[in-house]
Amino acid sequence: MAYTVPKLTDYSEESLVAAAGEVVKQLNDESKAVTDEASWDAYRVRWTGRKNGITTQLNETWLKPAPGASKPRVGALYADLRSQIQRAVDEAKDRYRNVAILGDHARAKGLYPLDISLPGVRRTIGAEHPVMKTWREIVSVFQKLGYSVAEGPVVETDYYNFEALNFPPNHPARDTQDTLFIAGQQSKPQRERLLLRTHTSPVQIRTMEKMRPPIRIVIPGTVHRNDPPDASHSPMFHQIEGLAVDTNITFGDLKGTLDHAMKALFGSSVKTHFRPSFFPFTEPSAELYVTCFICGGSGKRGTDPCRPCKQTGWIEVLGCGMVDPNVFEFVKDNGYDPKKVSGFAFGMGVDRLALLKYGVDDIQLFFQGDVRFLQQFS
Ligand SMILES: [Zn+2]
């Protein structure tokens, strides 16, 4: 005996909900019989047919005779059922059509029809690459100190990569042995010739050309050098560089900032140590060492020698120094008069720090894209 809408005698909330629940149950039960166009059409007429469809019956036997006080509640119920019915009819149509299409497809391929109750395909979730993770950690330490992130082009001119950073014309870093130049540039003046930047420092000049002092920027990026790949060299690697310029910036500011940053990166117990060095764009210059975060500065791991720090207990992490006044001369017109402002700069190799941090002994592993290697860091 097919379902027909019963008359309502009890308008309590409980009875109304139960009666509506019975309608929905019938709706879902009958939709299971829809397998083709003919059965879908019968289903559609039975539930939405204007003449005696169940939607019409609900209107005639529930809504119209409902007593005044119950009318708003029965009206809301009717509206809800009507939209559920329309949705069920539409969905039943999509379902039988999809099953038909997929069934044809499967039969053509000699497969079984789709079983929509089977679990779906699980998508594996990726993990952050160890180099990118280290990159973000370093950037975040300086962002918390109020530095903003600056970026610039990987293909640079000789001017930004060398000249404006106080590299004299005969400096060995300009040598084609170290720098990857873009071919066919011989007819251009030297300062306009294009190359793959060998460091992120050109962004210091580019930023100072655009922004007046004071500035505090951190510059992450990809750099290239003409180094054959081996366990510790890659022709492509990553640097993070920083620059702070203001009035009265001293070497004490540099030491305090970097000491704080190293503690934030490697743990509050690390000690820092500056050794004099040379870079064309800073004067004075220094290399920053931290106590080895592998052996804690002892130079030993148990009874074995600590390899990452070569048993010295110290690891070199970056180069730094006070910005050379000659560099400011190139951007003097934008407020960087070397007599009025001073600043410090620092730069570090992200890949090298990631190698140390994760105890990886071959930089090539970072760039080969071998999932078995990368999965270890997920
Ligand atoms: Zn060590």
Side-chain angles (χ1 to χ4, degrees):
M1 186 68 190
Y3 172 81
T4 50
V5 178
K7 281 199 166 65
L8 291 176
T9 47
D10 178 358
Y11 289 92
S12 69
E13 180 65 20
E14 206 174 274
S15 304
L16 288 175
V17 169
E22 185 58 28
V23 175
V24 173
K25 184 179 174 300
Q26 287 296 328
L27 178 72
N28 292 336
D29 282 354
E30 291 182 24
S31 85
K32 288 174 193 154
V34 175
T35 54
D36 54 20
E37 178 152 11
S39 54
W40 174 73
D41 206 46
Y43 181 62
R44 178 185 65 82
V45 171
R46 175 160 160 70
W47 286 87
T48 60
R50 205 170 295 170
K51 225 171 173 189
N52 197 30
I54 288 177
T55 310
T56 308
Q57 290 180 37
L58 288 168
N59 187 29
E60 298 292 333
T61 48
W62 283 18
L63 187 56
K64 283 188 180 168
S70 301
K71 209 147 200 141
R73 179 64 188 123
V74 178
L77 216 52
Y78 167 74
D80 182 46
L81 286 170
R82 191 178 54 184
S83 65
Q84 282 199 53
I85 289 166
Q86 193 54 56
R87 198 160 57 232
V89 169
D90 292 344
E91 283 174 3
K93 182 179 189 174
D94 288 345
R95 202 164 56 236
Y96 90 76
R97 285 191 165 181
N98 286 342
V99 169
I101 291 163
L102 291 164
D104 287 348
H105 182 67
R107 272 189 294 280
K109 286 190 135 187
L111 300 169
Y112 293 104
L114 181 75
D115 180 351
I116 58 166
S117 67
L118 287 173
V121 179
R122 189 181 295 270
R123 284 177 192 271
T124 42
I125 297 169
E128 208 170 26
H129 191 283
V131 171
M132 289 299 122
K133 201 170 169 190
T134 308
W135 163 318
R136 271 188 258 277
E137 280 167 8
I138 298 167
V139 167
S140 142
V141 165
F142 288 98
Q143 281 183 315
K144 284 174 191 154
L145 289 170
Y147 284 64
S148 47
V149 176
E151 286 179 300
V154 176
V155 178
E156 259 303 358
T157 59
D158 186 285
Y159 174 78
Y160 285 108
N161 197 76
F162 292 127
E163 186 181 338
L165 290 161
N166 200 33
F167 279 83
N170 56 351
H171 192 279
R174 286 172 172 247
D175 199 310
T176 47
Q177 294 301 308
D178 295 306
T179 307
L180 292 161
F181 289 93
I182 307 289
Q185 308 266 309
Q186 285 76 6
S187 60
K188 288 184 182 174
Q190 179 159 21
R191 52 159 55 185
E192 289 172 22
R193 289 183 196 166
L194 298 173
L195 47 84
L196 295 182
R197 67 178 178 192
T198 57
H199 47 187
T200 44
S201 313
V203 185
Q204 293 190 17
I205 302 296
R206 287 181 174 278
T207 309
M208 286 191 284
E209 283 179 348
K210 276 182 282 187
M211 292 166 65
R212 298 178 68 83
I215 58 167
R216 278 169 191 77
I217 50 169
V218 61
I219 308 157
T222 307
V223 302
H224 293 81
R225 288 194 198 164
N226 192 11
D227 283 329
D230 64 24
S232 52
H233 294 85
S234 163
M236 184 281 302
F237 56 102
H238 303 89
Q239 278 193 343
I240 292 183
E241 184 142 334
L243 172 71
V245 183
D246 204 341
T247 47
N248 301 318
I249 296 246
T250 67
F251 202 86
D253 297 311
L254 180 157
K255 287 181 82 172
T257 302
L258 292 180
D259 183 73
H260 169 86
M262 294 306 114
K263 287 180 163 66
L265 279 172
F266 302 116
S268 55
S269 59
V270 301
K271 292 193 183 82
T272 52
H273 169 63
F274 291 80
R275 290 185 198 169
S277 184
F278 172 80
F279 304 107
F281 37 89
T282 47
E283 182 64 34
S285 305
E287 274 156 8
L288 172 61
Y289 287 73
V290 297
T291 41
C292 176
F293 38 84
I294 314 286
C295 65
S298 68
K300 287 199 172 70
R301 298 173 83 178
T303 52
D304 295 332
C306 178
R307 276 204 304 149
C309 66
K310 301 186 184 83
Q311 302 181 62
T312 62
W314 293 93
I315 287 181
E316 187 212 331
V317 285
L318 56 79
C320 57
M322 301 306 289
V323 179
D324 194 304
N326 290 344
V327 172
F328 286 137
E329 289 289 343
F330 287 93
V331 285
K332 194 175 176 177
D333 293 345
N334 200 30
Y336 294 89
D337 182 344
K339 292 191 183 69
K340 291 177 184 156
V341 296
S342 56
F344 63 79
F346 55 87
M348 61 194 108
V350 183
D351 319 80
R352 205 177 136 257
L353 291 177
L355 287 174
L356 291 166
K357 207 171 158 192
Y358 294 104
V360 175
D361 51 19
D362 186 348
I363 193 172
Q364 298 305 321
L365 289 166
F366 283 150
F367 308 127
Q368 284 163 346
D370 187 330
V371 175
R372 291 167 302 178
F373 168 74
L374 296 170
Q375 264 172 346
Q376 300 172 77
F377 308 98
S378 63

